[in-house]
Amino acid sequence: MKTFKLTRKNMADLLLSLNGTTSRTPHQALYDVWGDLHKDELPPILQKILKPAKGEVGFSLKEIVSLGNLIEFTNFPQSTVQNWVKRDVRGLIGSPQLGKKYTTEQAAMLFIVEDLKATLDFGSIRKVLTLVFNNIEDRTDDIVNPTDLYLAYASVFDQIHHQSLPSIKTADGSVNEHIDDFIKEECRVMLETFDGIAEDNLSKVLNVMIVSVLTVQAGFYQAVTKKYVMDALA
């Protein structure tokens, strides 16, 4: 049976296509990942969201969990996410904004929280994210949109994990130092893709991006470590 996984950038592209931010359709976003698959071959959650929808696309918490579990190096139990929205990050996520359903931005926020949980506690997550997100009921006053932030740091992680890094064997410094410098530089490049950020907020957005990329990288190392532990105990 085919295993379906999305990179974080794939998921960000899909969310942006669903909320109409880009001209690309959800079908086109998924075609870039898996090619010309028949709809019936896709996971049920993707089959569902590909159906034509009237008005803004929304998700139940169960649907967000199903989407989240398609993301590589992610563990997204529904009971855990329920605790997040009821208690741990309620002030960041808020109540469902589309009747009983959550928006694509709220889904992105939950994916961001899942990434940050790799290294940060909830108190730190709240402090970090409130640097760039304001009124949970009005996304227009955020310094950056949650989905745009998700795409930005996902794109940087994609450069590390799915692209070839420049050769560093002949350069000064350790491998870790070069990876750190690469992350910082790529985040600075992505910072230029945001529109309308005030000068005094640029460093906030940059630091939140760097923190997010590093936590995803840490989550990747945790996943790989668990794999080797399982192999050793097999």
Side-chain angles (χ1 to χ4, degrees), residues 14 18 28 112 124 159 162 179:
L14 178 61
L18 286 167
Q28 290 171 327
I112 294 169
S124 298
Q159 289 290 322
H162 295 284
I179 291 175

Side-chain angles (χ1 to χ4, degrees), residues 39-50:
K39 185 177 177 181
D40 292 341
E41 297 179 82
L42 295 171
I45 180 59
L46 294 181
Q47 294 182 31
K48 185 172 184 178
I49 65 176
L50 287 177

Side-chain angles (χ1 to χ4, degrees), residues 68-99:
N69 282 320
L70 293 177
I71 303 171
E72 60 183 359
F73 320 124
T74 298
N75 182 28
F76 223 60
Q78 183 162 343
S79 59
T80 299
V81 179
Q82 287 174 333
N83 288 334
W84 292 356
V85 299
K86 289 179 181 178
R87 182 184 65 241
D88 299 311
V89 289
R90 183 178 180 181
L92 288 169
I93 306 299
S95 303
Q97 294 179 358
L98 297 174

Side-chain angles (χ1 to χ4, degrees), residues 141-203:
D141 68 351
D142 293 336
I143 295 175
V144 293
N145 180 280
T147 316
D148 291 337
L149 175 67
Y150 188 56
L151 174 64
Y153 79 74
S155 298
V156 176
F157 178 72
D158 193 70
Q159 289 290 322
I160 301 169
H161 190 69
H162 295 284
Q163 309 294 331
S164 297
L165 281 172
S167 176
I168 59 177
K169 290 183 178 180
T170 59
D172 294 331
S174 69
V175 172
N176 282 335
E177 287 173 333
H178 283 283
I179 291 175
D180 185 51
D181 289 341
F182 182 84
I183 289 171
K184 291 175 183 176
E185 181 57 32
E186 289 301 311
C187 284
R188 290 189 186 98
V189 172
M190 289 304 303
L191 188 63
E192 298 175 2
T193 66
F194 291 103
D195 294 324
I197 300 179
E199 187 72 26
D200 57 347
N201 288 327
L202 289 173
S203 63

